[in-house]
Amino acid sequence: QAQIEESGGGLVQSGNSLSLSCTASFGFYAMAWFRQPPGREREFVAAIAWRNGNRDYADSLKGRFTISRDPIRDTVDLRMSSLTPEDTAVYYCAATLENTRFLKTAPYTYWGQGTPVTVSS
C-alpha cells in the first residue's frame, strides 16, 4: 500500500524559514500539505499536481509558503517563510489519485503521520 512520509519539522524562531519534505511510495496525481494547529481543526495549506505542476495555496499563506517538486529527490517540499507562532501546527502530507484542477477540494485519502512545527516568538 502507498506510504507517505513527512520530514523537516522542528522548532524554529519567528521570522525564520523552514522546509518540509514529503515522500510517497506511489505515483499520486497530486500531493498536498495540511496543518492542524493545537486545538484547531486541520486546514489546507498547499497542493501541487505532479503532471502539470499546477499549484494552489490557502489564501492566507500565499507569498509565505511555497510548494514545489524536487526532481532529484522526487519529493514534494514546502518552504515556509516569515514564520510566526500562528504557524505552529502538525503538518501533514497528503495525496490523491484523482485527476482534478481543483486541488483544494480533491479527495486526499492518503496521509502521512505528520511532522510537528513549533514557531517560537
Side-chain angles (χ1 to χ4, degrees):
Q1 191 173 2
Q3 182 176 356
I4 298 175
E5 298 182 19
E6 309 97 333
S7 63
L11 177 64
V12 62
Q13 297 288 328
S14 294
N16 289 342
S17 299
L18 189 67
S19 292
L20 308 179
S21 293
C22 178
T23 62
S25 61
F26 194 82
F28 295 101
Y29 173 74
M31 300 184 70
W33 287 95
F34 292 76
R35 69 183 186 182
Q36 186 167 19
R40 302 180 184 274
E41 64 183 18
R42 188 167 54 202
E43 62 186 26
F44 174 82
V45 173
I48 185 170
W50 283 99
R51 179 171 294 180
N52 54 29
N54 286 348
R55 297 172 170 86
D56 205 359
Y57 297 90
D59 291 341
S60 63
L61 300 177
K62 290 181 179 179
R64 287 203 303 120
F65 285 20
T66 301
I67 190 170
S68 63
R69 177 182 178 180
D70 189 320
I72 299 176
R73 298 184 294 125
D74 196 25
T75 61
V76 168
D77 302 325
L78 181 71
R79 178 173 174 79
M80 306 179 291
S81 301
S82 301
L83 288 166
T84 72
E86 287 69 38
D87 296 314
T88 295
V90 177
Y91 284 73
Y92 296 90
C93 182
T96 181
L97 293 172
E98 181 172 307
N99 288 245
T100 177
R101 297 181 63 186
F102 306 102
L103 299 179
K104 287 184 178 179
T105 57
Y108 294 99
T109 55
Y110 300 87
W111 295 82
Q113 78 286 353
T115 184
V117 173
T118 301
V119 184
S120 62
S121 58

